[in-house]
Amino acid sequence: MKIPVRPIVLAGLALAFSALVLSRAQAGGSHFFPPVADLQVKEECGSCHLAFPPSMLPARSWQRMMGDLKNHFGDDASLDPGLAAKITDYLVANAADNAGQRRGEKLIRGVDASSAPLRISELPKWVREHRKVPDWEWRHKDVRTRANCVACHADAERGYYDD
Amino acid sequence: MTKTFATQLLAALLLAPLAATAAPLSDQLASYAAAAKSADPAFVGFSAARGKTLHTQAFALGKPDTPACTSCHGPDPRGAGKTPTGKVIEPVALSATPGRYADPAKVEKWFKRNCNEVLGRACTPLEKGDWLTFVSGQ
């Protein structure tokens, strides 16, 4: 029996190439932060604002935030303790300093190990990346707050923050 | 005999999803009605008109940026609303968002949060029942 070597090699090459492109698109080449995949986390953390990717803050920040949901940026977002613990586990497991997230590690670079920032928009790297956005754009009625990622990053819900 | 049973089983299977979506809301309204009656023996029933007033009135008793329900939910119950962070809120009208009030725990969770933010206090069973009556008739 004659094995059709050429088609198999070609198919293999094509597959390897697309895998390479995909991995670059997801990890290195673009500003990709895996969106929340857990449905319960998405529901509880994504009703009032975008369910921010856990890889945007270090684990200690998520722990601090989940420990004081009664004062959540001016809102009382308290949850059933069991559910809150489950959500904390998910956020911590996928935090910037825990899941081997290239982008996450970069984003929290320069954050003092003894501090646990609560606002993604106060991370030094975030501030640098957004330094060219003028004040009037932040005040625009369709933006209004730095927590409104989707106002400018159309694909933020899917994890892409390039534009 | 067997045929009747099969028919009943089929009917039960077909109707089960309907019952599952309709029952929680009416059960919840019934429990609010019982609570309203025990708070005020003169209670005769919920009112969509009172619910509408509750929904649209500017109370300004809670957080400064949310004086009324409509601050986030928008003026039209059948239209979508928007949170301050730009997240779209599905219309409150049951006709526009079928199945919206099928989970009593979720309904309670949002009453707790939102009443606090708009009224600066918890809503009474009467207010909750009026509001649910208003939006489910919309």
Side-chain angles (χ1 to χ4, degrees):
Chain A
M1 186 185 137
K2 202 176 158 224
I3 299 165
V5 178
R6 257 176 70 112
I8 290 177
V9 169
L10 279 176
L13 275 177
L15 203 68
F17 179 71
S18 38
L20 182 77
V21 169
L22 186 73
S23 71
R24 285 194 73 98
Q26 293 199 328
S30 67
H31 290 55
F32 179 73
F33 295 85
V36 169
D38 183 294
L39 284 180
Q40 233 171 357
V41 177
K42 211 169 163 175
E43 162 88 21
E44 297 302 336
C45 307
S47 311
C48 302
H49 51 68
L50 169 78
F52 299 110
S55 61
M56 286 191 172
L57 284 176
R60 56 186 186 277
S61 294
W62 292 122
Q63 275 156 338
R64 184 179 160 206
M65 192 177 305
M66 293 302 290
D68 191 17
L69 284 180
K70 235 182 143 36
N71 300 294
H72 188 68
F73 304 98
D75 281 349
D76 178 356
S78 42
L79 288 174
D80 162 78
L83 183 55
K86 257 178 82 179
I87 293 173
T88 309
D89 287 347
Y90 178 86
L91 296 171
V92 166
N94 295 285
D97 50 347
N98 261 353
Q101 319 257 13
R102 239 174 69 98
R103 275 286 156 197
E105 276 169 16
K106 269 193 187 170
L107 182 61
I108 61 164
R109 208 169 277 171
V111 175
D112 197 277
S114 64
S115 76
L118 296 178
R119 285 178 199 274
I120 296 163
S121 58
E122 283 171 6
L123 301 173
K125 169 85 173 161
W126 190 99
V127 174
R128 248 190 341 272
E129 292 269 334
H130 294 82
R131 67 189 183 280
K132 284 184 190 148
V133 181
D135 242 18
W136 66 264
E137 268 190 55
W138 289 119
R139 283 196 306 267
H140 192 278
K141 67 170 176 49
D142 292 332
V143 182
R144 291 173 57 194
T145 148
R146 281 162 171 73
N148 190 359
C149 309
V150 283
C152 304
H153 301 289
D155 249 353
E157 293 270 7
R158 288 175 47 235
Y160 296 96
Y161 295 81
D162 305 87
D163 38 349
Chain B
M1 179 72 188
T2 333
K3 201 178 167 192
T4 330
F5 177 71
T7 317
Q8 280 173 349
L9 187 70
L10 187 69
L13 282 175
L14 286 173
L15 291 174
L18 272 178
T21 50
L25 179 55
S26 50
D27 286 356
Q28 195 164 18
L29 276 168
S31 87
Y32 287 146
K37 182 89 185 158
S38 79
D40 176 15
F43 170 81
V44 285
F46 293 125
S47 141
R50 278 198 309 258
K52 185 178 181 176
T53 308
L54 179 72
H55 188 68
T56 50
Q57 190 180 331
F59 293 94
L61 297 168
K63 285 176 50 176
D65 49 347
T66 53
C69 304
T70 48
S71 309
C72 294
H73 289 290
D76 175 13
R78 292 193 200 90
K82 207 173 197 184
T83 70
T85 50
K87 193 100 191 172
V88 171
I89 311 172
E90 303 270 273
V92 288
L94 190 58
S95 64
T97 318
R100 202 190 206 288
Y101 306 105
D103 178 357
K106 192 170 170 183
V107 172
E108 265 297 300
K109 177 182 116 176
W110 287 105
F111 270 137
K112 177 179 171 242
R113 244 180 231 187
N114 296 347
C115 291
N116 222 358
E117 286 183 3
V118 172
L119 295 158
R121 60 165 172 83
C123 286
T124 63
L126 179 70
E127 286 168 330
K128 292 176 186 176
D130 284 344
W131 189 85
L132 277 175
T133 305
F134 166 61
V135 292
S136 54
Q138 280 295 304

